[in-house]
Amino acid sequence: MSIIKQMTHKRLTASLVFATLFTLSACSDNDNDSMETPEPPPVPTQDYRVTVTNLTANQPMSPIALIRHQADMTAWQTGGAASLPLETLAESGDSTGFADMEGIDALVKGQGILLPGMKESIELKLSPDEVASISVLTMLVNTNDAFAGLNSVSLVDLAVNATVKFSSIAYDAGTEANSEAKGTIPGPADSGEGFNAMRDDVDRVHAHPGVISADDGLTDSVLSASHRFDNPVLTISIERLR
């Protein structure tokens, strides 16, 4: 083989080797580019069932409001003034305002009015860092501003298949006088006004003194003896399913 042919053969061989290495490198880069970043594993959830039972004779409850909130806040404070969302719920049964309240992470509503003697269950899926503070609220709709519920309960220590039970008295939001007068009660006993921004009562949350009714001598009352209630007015059970 001549020297020129040998040199040409060596150049061709070197070029083929370089081209092969470049091709392998390019394939490797393309493979890296096409690889997708793996998604993080889903956060495991803890499943709960919250069951609310209406114990009264003739006090329908507004749709249950189940609230998940920060551990450093409470839905209400006995002896303290009601927040605007609490005032609205206690006077009209509307819990929507809690969704926009600072410190509230989530609001879940029940299906509708909870009639006397009936119960409703709501199921929740919560991550482990969402179980520190749960509250339940509802209005006794045949009153001016009575409400009941569960205030800031932690589910951290509730084991799988375990159930914890609570009872709730009726509270007075202290935002509307308990006149029982026609046009002031939103429930079926009157179908009157709901929320009114004017506060004409003691402006502090306290245990509700109960209704008087026309049958017991309050002549202007639209309520009857059937609307009276004893405490507790609710039972609330929380079961951890998983």
Side-chain angles (χ1 to χ4, degrees), residues 21-237:
L21 290 172
F22 180 80
T23 302
L24 290 172
S25 176
C27 289
S28 178
D29 288 343
N30 287 339
D31 288 342
N32 287 337
D33 291 343
S34 64
M35 290 177 63
E36 297 182 359
T37 303
E39 295 184 2
V43 177
T45 59
Q46 298 175 183
D47 297 354
Y48 298 88
R49 180 185 293 125
V50 180
T51 302
V52 181
T53 304
N54 183 345
L55 302 178
T56 69
N58 197 7
Q59 283 289 341
M61 302 290 172
S62 65
I64 303 301
L66 185 55
I67 301 170
R68 194 184 79 237
H69 53 84
Q70 301 297 311
D72 59 354
M73 73 164 293
T74 56
W76 72 88
Q77 182 66 51
T78 304
S83 64
L84 179 58
L86 179 60
E87 176 187 12
T88 304
L89 177 136
E91 293 182 10
S92 70
D94 181 8
S95 62
T96 304
F98 280 101
D100 299 323
M101 189 175 179
E102 185 176 356
I104 300 294
D105 297 321
L107 166 65
V108 180
K109 294 183 180 181
Q111 294 183 349
I113 295 293
L114 183 62
L115 295 174
M118 303 302 290
K119 65 176 63 177
E120 180 179 1
S121 294
I122 302 172
E123 295 194 0
L124 298 173
K125 288 183 178 293
L126 303 175
S127 64
D129 61 352
E130 293 176 338
V131 299
S133 200
I134 305 293
S135 292
V136 178
L137 294 101
T138 183
M139 177 195 182
L140 286 70
V141 297
N142 283 329
T143 67
N144 290 99
D145 62 342
F147 71 96
L150 193 57
N151 193 9
S152 190
V153 169
S154 173
L155 305 180
V156 170
D157 296 325
L158 189 61
V160 176
N161 296 325
T163 300
V164 61
K165 296 184 179 181
F166 304 88
S167 296
S168 173
I169 68 169
Y171 293 90
D172 191 321
T175 57
E176 181 176 310
N178 297 325
S179 66
E180 304 175 23
K182 183 175 179 59
T184 69
I185 292 175
D190 181 35
S191 299
E193 180 185 54
F195 171 71
N196 187 322
M198 183 181 69
R199 298 193 177 193
D200 61 356
D201 202 359
V202 296
D203 200 20
R204 58 179 174 82
V205 177
H206 55 91
H208 200 286
V211 301
I212 300 174
S213 82
D215 292 339
D216 287 333
L218 186 58
T219 56
D220 291 334
S221 175
V222 296
L223 303 180
S224 69
S226 71
H227 298 112
R228 293 183 299 182
F229 50 85
D230 294 322
N231 287 317
V233 295
L234 297 179
T235 58
I236 303 167
S237 68

Side-chain angles (χ1 to χ4, degrees), residues 1-22:
M1 183 182 293
S2 67
I3 294 175
I4 293 176
K5 287 184 176 180
Q6 289 178 3
M7 292 177 65
T8 302
H9 178 73
K10 289 179 178 179
R11 288 195 186 100
L12 288 171
T13 302
S15 296
L16 288 171
V17 171
F18 178 79
T20 301
L21 290 172
F22 180 80

